[in-house]
Amino acid sequence: MDSQTSQSSQPSHPSPSPHTFQVDLRGLVDLLSHHLYSSPKVYLRELLQNAVDAITARRAVEPDAPALVRLFAEPGALRVEDSGVGLSEADVHDLLATIGRSSKRAEGLQEARSDFLGQFGIGLLACFVVAERIRVVSRSARTPDAAPVEWTAADDGSYTVRTLPDDARPEPGTTVHLVARAGAAEWLAEDRVLALARDFGSLLPYDVRIGEEAVTDLPAPWDRAYPSPAARRVALGRHCHDLFGFTPLDAIELDVPLAGIRGVAYVLPSAVSPAQRAGHRVHLKGMLLTERAEQLLPDWAFFVRCVLDTDSLRPTASREALYEDETLAAVREALGERIRAWLTDLAAGDPERLAAFLAVHHLGVKSLARHDREMLRIMLPWLPFETTDGRLSLEEFARRHRVVHFTRTVEEYRQVAPIASAQGVGVINGGYTYDSELVEALPSVRPGTVVAELDADTVTAHLDAVDPAVELALAGFLAAARAKLDPLGCDVVLRAFHPLSVPALHLDDRAARHEQARAQAEEEADDLWAGILGSLRGEAPRARLVLNHLSPLIRRIGSLGEPELIGTAVESLYGQALLMAQRPLRPADSALLNRAFIGLLEWATNGEGDR
């Protein structure tokens, strides 16, 4: 008998009976309130959302049906009425009693699903965050002959269902009654409900009211007609101040019909860090989805705050954030393109407004320009850079200098800027965010431009050499100076340069600094690490102290005959050059400065006593 026959002869076992998960509703509510939702206030959004979806569902089959949502706040209770599609007794058993089931799945409504706000069927369950009891009275518009039905649920998971007389709910629609749980009555107070309803529902397409107070405020500020562009700017500025608390530099229209997006981006009036996450307000079909959307715009557009309405973006399960998918990526690109077009229009037609914008937010535009060569070309006459000629655009600087020299760090720029400027060498400080990248990209948008990084060798090459006879006469002084600074990894050279007020210049590059850091770590490490660091010793060029032969001070020091005094003077020159370059001091440098200062004091006081 083969193995297949053997297996088929085994006795069969009955299939196990399926079981249903038991849900601890109190535990689930705790999970919702502490982990899914950011605040109990979302209960009101869920109520409004259910009401709006019910009206949308009814209007899908009855286009002329009333579209009303009314909220009534009472001490410790809230009542929400809508003229929507309503529920029959079968719907109640099938939908409200099953956690996770969405009423939008009801028969005949699937084709209209894209018009609904809710997509996850959590619905009334969120109301248990603030309520200990929920009572729903509803009458179905799909089965007009059906009696009204009442569904009452408690936060322990129990519920009852019963039919009511016809006069309990004469017209189709639903009324939801909430009774506050202990400690949550404030969330059902009338002023709180009104504020939340306006925050969540100001752009809803239906008539929503609390008593006589209107909740909706349509059309949206960006869709209204204004008598003039100036009036529009004033109105949008006021809207921005009400929403975000600042008066914007400008307002950028966000109109992306293919993505179903309408809104406005407000330009911040002050500079912000690129690392600061922007919070944008996003409405989904009129309902506020989130006021902290972070991934709505490209990273470079950190200088604006957006408010918009969309019908295409997908919310997360909590409906408090946007789901990262291909649609959101496409919308992000489209909105970025709109902001890019606004910048281009300013450059072409309103240079004064562009200059005012760049004075505050040049960093954001530089971030964009480093990836977008066309934007770099457009912004060349406008983007400011720190240079030895003052604050200039790259275009203006390139016109002035045959070679565009730049440094990669602020420290390097501070080292060479005064000397390079005196020698007629133009230098751009590329040490700030994005600047060195943009300078290096300059030839790609301005053909023929020569860009070169300025290093210690280049600076030294631009300084005038000293007559060999003069340098030979100072050989003893230079030898003593080199011997003094050799333990610090620094050479000494003699040059002639302007300004005369600079007696000495300290020059190094990143390779030299890395070697100094390695040597210092080797000196402070134990035997094992010292050996490892010693094996990494490189042939990097050493730092150099360039003595200015044109300086009267250097000439006097060069004529000194006392080796000890020469050593103290050279140490002082080295320390002063480091401080002028605003370089961080190593422990050895700090010790040298202290030693030189004390040595000079001793020399001065001894000389005074002799006199």
Side-chain angles (χ1 to χ4, degrees):
M1 184 180 296
D2 60 25
S3 59
Q4 186 175 8
T5 306
S6 176
Q7 289 175 2
S8 64
S9 63
Q10 298 297 320
S12 60
H13 298 282
S15 300
S17 300
H19 296 278
T20 302
F21 282 109
Q22 299 299 309
V23 176
D24 179 357
L25 188 56
R26 284 198 176 102
L28 186 56
V29 169
D30 181 73
L31 179 68
L32 290 174
S33 59
H34 290 94
H35 300 284
L36 184 62
Y37 295 130
S38 61
S39 166
K41 69 181 183 181
V42 298
Y43 88 92
L44 191 62
R45 184 196 63 199
E46 297 291 340
L47 287 174
L48 289 176
Q49 181 171 284
N50 286 344
V52 169
D53 282 346
I55 293 173
T56 301
R58 184 176 180 185
R59 284 202 157 185
V61 293
E62 297 180 50
D64 296 330
L68 307 174
V69 181
R70 296 291 182 263
L71 297 90
F72 303 92
E74 303 167 0
L78 177 67
R79 186 171 86 256
V80 180
E81 298 181 357
D82 69 67
S83 59
V85 70
L87 300 171
S88 65
E89 183 177 1
D91 293 333
V92 167
H93 283 290
D94 186 41
L95 302 173
L96 295 186
T98 306
I99 293 174
R101 183 77 61 83
S102 173
S103 61
K104 272 72 74 178
R105 294 174 184 160
E107 182 181 357
L109 300 181
Q110 185 66 31
E111 64 276 8
R113 187 175 177 82
S114 62
D115 294 327
F116 296 128
L117 301 173
Q119 295 286 320
F120 297 92
I122 295 175
L124 288 175
L125 187 61
C127 295
F128 281 118
V129 173
V130 298
E132 67 175 10
R133 189 169 73 255
I134 301 174
R135 177 170 168 257
V136 177
V137 176
S138 187
R139 185 165 193 151
S140 175
R142 295 194 303 274
T143 54
D145 296 336
V149 61
E150 177 190 73
W151 177 83
T152 304
D155 61 2
D156 62 0
S158 62
Y159 72 92
T160 60
V161 178
R162 63 177 181 139
T163 56
L164 300 176
D166 285 346
D167 58 1
R169 177 85 200 192
E171 299 294 329
T174 301
T175 302
V176 180
H177 303 259
L178 302 186
V179 176
R181 65 191 308 170
E186 62 174 306
W187 291 104
L188 305 186
E190 184 172 6
D191 55 346
R192 176 68 67 90
V193 172
L194 178 60
L196 292 178
R198 284 178 171 168
D199 195 37
F200 284 121
S202 62
L203 301 184
L204 289 175
Y206 304 135
D207 182 5
V208 183
R209 295 179 180 273
I210 299 181
E212 297 300 319
E213 295 283 345
V215 168
T216 52
D217 185 19
L218 295 175
W222 50 84
D223 285 330
R224 296 173 189 171
Y226 297 95
S228 67
R232 182 179 183 83
R233 282 197 296 271
V234 170
L236 290 179
R238 186 164 52 247
H239 176 246
C240 175
H241 191 275
D242 292 342
L243 282 185
F244 297 114
F246 65 85
T247 300
L249 281 178
D250 208 345
I252 306 170
E253 300 286 342
L254 301 179
D255 186 3
V256 187
L258 292 178
I261 286 178
R262 284 286 296 146
V264 62
Y266 293 116
V267 181
L268 291 165
S270 57
V272 293
S273 168
Q276 180 177 330
R277 287 295 184 180
H280 307 292
R281 289 178 63 94
V282 177
H283 296 255
L284 181 61
K285 303 180 184 71
M287 181 73 73
L288 178 66
L289 179 70
T290 178
E291 54 191 355
R292 296 190 303 275
E294 296 181 350
Q295 305 300 327
L296 186 65
L297 295 180
D299 290 340
W300 56 262
F302 55 83
F303 50 84
V304 298
R305 297 292 180 270
C306 294
V307 53
L308 55 84
D309 189 26
T310 176
D311 58 15
S312 64
L313 296 178
R314 178 183 172 191
T316 59
S318 66
R319 291 191 288 280
E320 295 188 280
L322 297 173
Y323 190 84
E324 185 67 49
D325 57 11
E326 292 181 357
T327 302
L328 179 57
V331 165
R332 184 185 301 122
E333 178 63 27
L335 294 179
E337 182 59 37
R338 184 64 195 88
I339 297 173
R340 186 186 291 109
W342 170 78
L343 287 169
T344 302
D345 291 343
L346 283 187
D350 200 338
E352 290 186 2
R353 283 172 66 198
L354 178 63
F357 166 76
L358 290 177
V360 180
H361 296 300
H362 58 272
L363 196 59
V365 180
K366 286 180 178 181
S367 175
L368 168 61
R370 67 191 179 119
H371 297 300
D372 188 327
R373 290 294 179 263
E374 180 62 18
M375 183 56 60
L376 176 58
R377 185 190 64 78
I378 293 171
M379 290 295 152
L380 272 182
W382 309 104
L383 286 174
F385 288 77
E386 182 181 358
T387 78
T388 49
D389 293 352
R391 199 160 180 82
L392 297 176
S393 69
L394 287 181
E395 177 68 27
E396 176 64 22
F397 188 85
R399 284 201 299 265
R400 294 186 182 189
H401 298 277
R402 184 178 60 83
V403 179
V404 177
H405 288 103
F406 73 99
T407 63
R408 291 193 182 277
T409 68
V410 175
E411 290 79 10
E412 291 171 349
Y413 178 79
R414 289 170 178 167
Q415 277 184 307
V416 303
I419 308 305
S421 179
Q423 310 309 308
V425 179
V427 184
I428 296 176
N429 184 357
Y432 297 115
T433 307
Y434 312 130
D435 282 8
S436 62
E437 297 176 69
L438 294 177
V439 174
E440 288 182 297
L442 187 55
S444 68
V445 295
R446 196 178 189 275
T449 303
V450 179
V451 173
E453 183 176 355
L454 190 68
D455 55 19
D457 289 335
T458 305
V459 175
T460 306
H462 279 82
L463 304 179
D464 294 335
V466 177
D467 185 272
V470 173
E471 190 163 359
L472 183 60
L474 294 173
F477 162 71
L478 293 175
R482 288 166 181 149
K484 198 68 177 178
L485 297 184
D486 184 69
L488 297 172
C490 183
D491 292 331
V492 177
V493 297
L494 186 66
R495 293 288 187 274
F497 56 87
H498 292 275
L500 302 183
S501 57
V502 179
L505 176 66
H506 180 271
L507 293 176
D508 62 5
D509 54 26
R510 279 166 291 162
R513 289 195 294 274
H514 291 164
E515 176 59 22
Q516 287 180 342
R518 186 210 60 77
Q520 180 180 345
E522 178 184 355
E523 184 179 336
E524 298 172 354
D526 56 29
D527 292 341
L528 174 62
W529 282 108
I532 295 173
L533 292 169
S535 67
L536 300 176
R537 183 181 295 112
E539 298 296 329
R542 286 155 58 95
R544 67 195 68 172
L545 183 69
V546 183
L547 302 179
N548 185 4
H549 184 59
L550 298 180
S551 168
L553 177 61
I554 294 299
R555 292 176 180 244
R556 287 195 296 271
I557 294 175
S559 64
L560 293 174
E562 302 177 34
E564 184 177 346
L565 183 56
I566 290 175
T568 300
V570 169
E571 288 181 333
S572 300
L573 290 170
Y574 174 82
Q576 187 267 347
L578 282 180
L579 294 175
M580 186 180 73
Q582 302 184 39
R583 293 293 309 282
L585 300 180
R586 300 170 297 169
D589 298 330
S590 298
L592 175 144
L593 278 172
N594 184 63
R595 182 171 65 248
F597 179 71
I598 297 299
L600 289 175
L601 282 179
E602 290 179 347
W603 178 80
T605 54
N606 287 339
E608 183 65 28
D610 292 341
R611 288 192 293 273

